[in-house]
Amino acid sequence: MNNRGTNLDTVRRYNLSRILGLVHREGAVSRSVLTRETGLNRSTVAALVSELAALHLVVEAEPDGARGVGRPSPVVRPHPDCVAFAVNPEQDAITVGVVRMHGEVVAQVRHEIDQPLGVAETVRVTAELIAGLRAELPASAVVVGVGVAVPGLVRMPDGLVRLAPHLGWVDEPVATLLADATGYPARAANDASLGALAEHNFGAGRDVADLIYLNGGASGIGGGVIIRGTPLGGVGGYAGEFGHNLVTAPDGPDQPSTGGALEDEVNRGRLLDLLGLKSADPAQLERALLESDAPEICGEVERQLGILSIALRNAINVLNPELVVLGGFLGSIYAANSELLDRLVAGQTLAASYEGVRIVRATLGADLLLIGAAELAFEPLIDDPARLAGSVATPV
């Protein structure tokens, strides 16, 4: 909720949101810290925590190994039964996960496909995967909704996929269709923007106000930007499409480029071909890259890092971040020769803009996009737990 309002109920709902937001971000917070951070008195915090516990959103426990004088302050944690379903459709697979608050992926299934599926078939397969995962959850589970990380342009207000070129989707209401198919509230957004949010909340970008995130996957390269702690969405939600920026010159002054976009030149498919792999999950691809000493593999990694350095130079010069986070196969090629990329970016970027910039790998690993998609589902609940209590915050 964005405003306190003036009546007591509005203030109560606002404070419920503040408490749940702190527990969501920190994972475990003592009541004394909640009191200090919110400025509320102890009895008010206790009442708010009790209300959230009754909704199966948080649990309280005595701190582990508590010693000292006086009664220790109870620790508040996200309720383990409160979960979201997270979905990431790609060219080669549909991955669905069960994610708890504070970014803990507790189950997932990867459904491999030979070619990208249309939206109707994607929704059908996803609904079946969700039903299978739901059957394995306890009866007390609180399912807050479904979040979808889409490799494409997704309109912010309603989750309409305007364009997902690698999936062949144009103006597809995937969130609405999934909500109808599963019975859960569903929201969709760009995968890399959600990856940026996940790394900012729980990963390499914790406590960093300004960062750029670039993700490389089967469907190309996307990005997300956090400015002063807030995701940069743009007017429609399409900000961060670094993969479509040109990194080589057009064919002529009056000719459009026939290639040369970042995701054309820095490409997962090229790596798989050279490694002799038809497909691979992120861990398999990275293992194959790091274990190979074949000259053609090393040369391709160096070529792709050189192209990537151009994109990072441009982004750093424009946005002046504190941190650049590389996810997906971009993190893997960085791991293969991090010194090369660091040197190339440092040598090309304006000295003042590069001061203090760090380039790091995403720390959430293969779960990153699932965690980001789940954040999309948790957001309305955290914004107003009381409003949603009667609809989604009920054990099914």
PDB file of all heavy atoms in Angstrom, residues 167-179:
ATOM      1  N   LEU A 167       9.742 -17.204 -28.747  1.00  0.00           N
ATOM      2  CA  LEU A 167       8.641 -18.136 -28.514  1.00  0.00           C
ATOM      3  C   LEU A 167       7.577 -18.046 -29.610  1.00  0.00           C
ATOM      4  O   LEU A 167       6.678 -18.884 -29.674  1.00  0.00           O
ATOM      5  CB  LEU A 167       7.987 -17.860 -27.154  1.00  0.00           C
ATOM      6  CG  LEU A 167       8.889 -17.952 -25.916  1.00  0.00           C
ATOM      7  CD1 LEU A 167       8.072 -17.667 -24.650  1.00  0.00           C
ATOM      8  CD2 LEU A 167       9.549 -19.316 -25.824  1.00  0.00           C
ATOM      9  N   GLY A 168       7.660 -16.992 -30.430  1.00  0.00           N
ATOM     10  CA  GLY A 168       6.658 -16.794 -31.466  1.00  0.00           C
ATOM     11  C   GLY A 168       5.355 -16.235 -30.942  1.00  0.00           C
ATOM     12  O   GLY A 168       4.299 -16.409 -31.568  1.00  0.00           O
ATOM     13  N   TRP A 169       5.397 -15.516 -29.803  1.00  0.00           N
ATOM     14  CA  TRP A 169       4.176 -14.972 -29.204  1.00  0.00           C
ATOM     15  C   TRP A 169       4.046 -13.491 -29.549  1.00  0.00           C
ATOM     16  O   TRP A 169       5.008 -12.720 -29.412  1.00  0.00           O
ATOM     17  CB  TRP A 169       4.211 -15.094 -27.691  1.00  0.00           C
ATOM     18  CG  TRP A 169       4.252 -16.498 -27.170  1.00  0.00           C
ATOM     19  CD1 TRP A 169       4.269 -17.661 -27.896  1.00  0.00           C
ATOM     20  CD2 TRP A 169       4.298 -16.882 -25.792  1.00  0.00           C
ATOM     21  NE1 TRP A 169       4.313 -18.742 -27.063  1.00  0.00           N
ATOM     22  CE2 TRP A 169       4.327 -18.311 -25.775  1.00  0.00           C
ATOM     23  CE3 TRP A 169       4.304 -16.186 -24.594  1.00  0.00           C
ATOM     24  CZ2 TRP A 169       4.378 -19.028 -24.570  1.00  0.00           C
ATOM     25  CZ3 TRP A 169       4.355 -16.896 -23.410  1.00  0.00           C
ATOM     26  CH2 TRP A 169       4.385 -18.300 -23.394  1.00  0.00           C
ATOM     27  N   VAL A 170       2.849 -13.085 -29.942  1.00  0.00           N
ATOM     28  CA  VAL A 170       2.543 -11.681 -30.207  1.00  0.00           C
ATOM     29  C   VAL A 170       1.184 -11.364 -29.596  1.00  0.00           C
ATOM     30  O   VAL A 170       0.183 -12.022 -29.909  1.00  0.00           O
ATOM     31  CB  VAL A 170       2.510 -11.375 -31.726  1.00  0.00           C
ATOM     32  CG1 VAL A 170       2.152  -9.917 -31.961  1.00  0.00           C
ATOM     33  CG2 VAL A 170       3.853 -11.702 -32.374  1.00  0.00           C
ATOM     34  N   ASP A 171       1.160 -10.371 -28.708  1.00  0.00           N
ATOM     35  CA  ASP A 171      -0.077  -9.905 -28.067  1.00  0.00           C
ATOM     36  C   ASP A 171      -0.871 -11.066 -27.473  1.00  0.00           C
ATOM     37  O   ASP A 171      -2.063 -11.252 -27.748  1.00  0.00           O
ATOM     38  CB  ASP A 171      -0.935  -9.113 -29.057  1.00  0.00           C
ATOM     39  CG  ASP A 171      -0.328  -7.759 -29.385  1.00  0.00           C
ATOM     40  OD1 ASP A 171       0.483  -7.259 -28.579  1.00  0.00           O
ATOM     41  OD2 ASP A 171      -0.646  -7.209 -30.453  1.00  0.00           O
ATOM     42  N   GLU A 172      -0.226 -11.820 -26.604  1.00  0.00           N
ATOM     43  CA  GLU A 172      -0.848 -12.989 -25.987  1.00  0.00           C
ATOM     44  C   GLU A 172      -1.113 -12.730 -24.498  1.00  0.00           C
ATOM     45  O   GLU A 172      -0.198 -12.391 -23.745  1.00  0.00           O
ATOM     46  CB  GLU A 172       0.055 -14.217 -26.137  1.00  0.00           C
ATOM     47  CG  GLU A 172       0.263 -14.662 -27.577  1.00  0.00           C
ATOM     48  CD  GLU A 172      -0.972 -15.342 -28.156  1.00  0.00           C
ATOM     49  OE1 GLU A 172      -1.999 -15.430 -27.465  1.00  0.00           O
ATOM     50  OE2 GLU A 172      -0.878 -15.803 -29.315  1.00  0.00           O
ATOM     51  N   PRO A 173      -2.355 -12.927 -24.027  1.00  0.00           N
ATOM     52  CA  PRO A 173      -2.705 -12.675 -22.620  1.00  0.00           C
ATOM     53  C   PRO A 173      -2.372 -13.867 -21.733  1.00  0.00           C
ATOM     54  O   PRO A 173      -3.259 -14.482 -21.122  1.00  0.00           O
ATOM     55  CB  PRO A 173      -4.212 -12.419 -22.698  1.00  0.00           C
ATOM     56  CG  PRO A 173      -4.668 -13.288 -23.834  1.00  0.00           C
ATOM     57  CD  PRO A 173      -3.532 -13.282 -24.840  1.00  0.00           C
ATOM     58  N   VAL A 174      -1.123 -14.217 -21.632  1.00  0.00           N
ATOM     59  CA  VAL A 174      -0.740 -15.454 -20.963  1.00  0.00           C
ATOM     60  C   VAL A 174      -1.146 -15.450 -19.490  1.00  0.00           C
ATOM     61  O   VAL A 174      -1.563 -16.488 -18.949  1.00  0.00           O
ATOM     62  CB  VAL A 174       0.774 -15.717 -21.131  1.00  0.00           C
ATOM     63  CG1 VAL A 174       1.606 -14.668 -20.419  1.00  0.00           C
ATOM     64  CG2 VAL A 174       1.148 -17.109 -20.645  1.00  0.00           C
ATOM     65  N   ALA A 175      -1.061 -14.305 -18.815  1.00  0.00           N
ATOM     66  CA  ALA A 175      -1.424 -14.259 -17.395  1.00  0.00           C
ATOM     67  C   ALA A 175      -2.912 -14.550 -17.212  1.00  0.00           C
ATOM     68  O   ALA A 175      -3.309 -15.326 -16.333  1.00  0.00           O
ATOM     69  CB  ALA A 175      -1.068 -12.894 -16.805  1.00  0.00           C
ATOM     70  N   THR A 176      -3.743 -13.940 -18.032  1.00  0.00           N
ATOM     71  CA  THR A 176      -5.185 -14.166 -17.942  1.00  0.00           C
ATOM     72  C   THR A 176      -5.532 -15.625 -18.221  1.00  0.00           C
ATOM     73  O   THR A 176      -6.345 -16.241 -17.522  1.00  0.00           O
ATOM     74  CB  THR A 176      -5.925 -13.260 -18.940  1.00  0.00           C
ATOM     75  OG1 THR A 176      -5.643 -11.898 -18.625  1.00  0.00           O
ATOM     76  CG2 THR A 176      -7.426 -13.493 -18.886  1.00  0.00           C
ATOM     77  N   LEU A 177      -4.890 -16.199 -19.239  1.00  0.00           N
ATOM     78  CA  LEU A 177      -5.166 -17.589 -19.595  1.00  0.00           C
ATOM     79  C   LEU A 177      -4.723 -18.545 -18.488  1.00  0.00           C
ATOM     80  O   LEU A 177      -5.414 -19.530 -18.193  1.00  0.00           O
ATOM     81  CB  LEU A 177      -4.460 -17.932 -20.910  1.00  0.00           C
ATOM     82  CG  LEU A 177      -4.970 -17.189 -22.154  1.00  0.00           C
ATOM     83  CD1 LEU A 177      -4.080 -17.494 -23.352  1.00  0.00           C
ATOM     84  CD2 LEU A 177      -6.415 -17.568 -22.454  1.00  0.00           C
ATOM     85  N   LEU A 178      -3.585 -18.251 -17.868  1.00  0.00           N
ATOM     86  CA  LEU A 178      -3.118 -19.115 -16.775  1.00  0.00           C
ATOM     87  C   LEU A 178      -4.016 -18.998 -15.545  1.00  0.00           C
ATOM     88  O   LEU A 178      -4.261 -19.991 -14.857  1.00  0.00           O
ATOM     89  CB  LEU A 178      -1.678 -18.757 -16.409  1.00  0.00           C
ATOM     90  CG  LEU A 178      -0.583 -19.637 -16.999  1.00  0.00           C
ATOM     91  CD1 LEU A 178       0.786 -19.126 -16.594  1.00  0.00           C
ATOM     92  CD2 LEU A 178      -0.749 -21.090 -16.580  1.00  0.00           C
ATOM     93  N   ALA A 179      -4.491 -17.807 -15.269  1.00  0.00           N
ATOM     94  CA  ALA A 179      -5.416 -17.635 -14.144  1.00  0.00           C
ATOM     95  C   ALA A 179      -6.679 -18.457 -14.376  1.00  0.00           C
ATOM     96  O   ALA A 179      -7.182 -19.128 -13.468  1.00  0.00           O
ATOM     97  CB  ALA A 179      -5.746 -16.158 -13.961  1.00  0.00           C
TER      98      ALA A 179
END
